[in-house]
Amino acid sequence: MPRSPSDEATALHPTDESLAPAAPRDDAAALRLAVDALSPVMPIETTDDFAGAQWTKLLVNHVNALPAITGLSVQQTIADPRLRAVLLASMKETIGIARAKGVHFAPVQGLDDRLLRFVQRAPRILAQLVPRAMARRMGSTPNPGSTLQSIRRGQLTEIDHLNGAVVVAAATLSRPAPVNATLVTLVHAVEHDHRFRTPTEVTAALHSRR
């Protein structure tokens, strides 16, 4: 079956759970066996809207870029008002692009279509409650995120398939995605020179692109 444009423009990179498309009736028993086998080692969700789930998961994974750029944990980046504003701006930008492509966000890890539409429309003082809640769900143990873990191992990151996927999707609409593009550029810069950026440097880079 051909992939939809939204499928091609996004990549699913699970962090602490996996998503599986709901199976046709003939395959439902096999899917149930797979879910039962994997559930003891990782949380599993099934969905009837795989493209919508991919986009929601992409937004969940937006927390990865700033730790990779700054060397801080996810919780620390969200606690910093400057970095939280950058994260929120990247989420708003992504939601707008996804909606322009006709995406309906499927529920994933506490995010769903109604909540994400609220994030896009609400003023920052209210919308920032969502990333704050995402940080609380992670608990008190510092979470570096998968992208920072790759940086620490000296490996290339998956950023082109995360925020970079948003930039690609925006291009198919002839729209810019300056926030996500800046985050991609900064992650690649850290990959290259192994120097973490300060929150001030992050915001300065963002303002120079907008």
Side-chain angles (χ1 to χ4, degrees):
M1 178 182 296
R3 301 177 73 193
S4 70
S6 58
D7 286 331
E8 294 173 356
T10 60
L12 188 61
H13 289 269
T15 51
D16 60 351
E17 70 176 15
S18 293
L19 292 162
R25 182 173 299 177
D26 291 345
D27 296 332
L31 177 62
R32 185 71 259 163
L33 286 173
V35 170
D36 289 344
L38 293 172
S39 292
V41 294
M42 66 173 68
I44 300 292
E45 295 181 23
T46 61
T47 179
D48 293 317
D49 181 7
F50 195 56
Q54 282 184 303
W55 276 95
T56 309
K57 186 65 177 180
L58 193 63
L59 280 155
V60 170
N61 281 331
H62 269 31
V63 300
N64 279 292
L66 287 168
I69 294 165
T70 62
L72 302 173
S73 70
V74 173
Q75 293 95 324
Q76 287 173 311
T77 60
I78 293 176
D80 186 297
R82 296 162 296 178
L83 298 178
R84 185 170 64 248
V86 174
L87 172 60
L88 184 59
S90 73
M91 293 179 69
K92 283 176 174 282
E93 185 175 86
T94 298
I95 295 166
I97 291 165
R99 290 188 64 188
K101 294 180 73 69
V103 171
H104 181 278
F105 296 101
V108 176
Q109 290 184 238
L111 300 183
D112 58 22
D113 193 76
R114 184 172 64 88
L115 185 58
L116 291 172
R117 286 172 182 263
F118 165 79
V119 170
Q120 186 191 25
R121 295 192 303 262
R124 188 171 73 182
I125 193 170
L126 295 177
Q128 69 176 344
L129 296 175
V130 173
R132 282 181 177 274
M134 293 167 70
R136 284 196 301 272
R137 284 181 59 135
M138 294 181 181
S140 58
T141 302
N143 186 334
S146 60
T147 311
L148 176 55
Q149 289 176 332
S150 295
I151 292 284
R152 288 174 173 172
R153 290 193 294 263
Q155 299 173 341
L156 296 179
T157 72
E158 75 276 41
I159 195 64
D160 289 332
H161 301 290
L162 299 177
N163 301 80
V166 180
V167 178
V168 172
T172 67
L173 299 169
S174 298
R175 289 176 56 164
V179 181
N180 283 281
T182 300
L183 294 176
V184 172
T185 298
L186 288 171
V187 171
H188 284 316
V190 175
E191 288 175 341
H192 176 71
D193 63 20
H194 311 292
R195 182 181 71 82
F196 293 122
R197 271 55 178 177
T198 66
T200 299
E201 289 177 304
V202 174
T203 55
L206 183 62
H207 291 153
S208 70
R209 290 284 295 267
R210 300 181 77 178

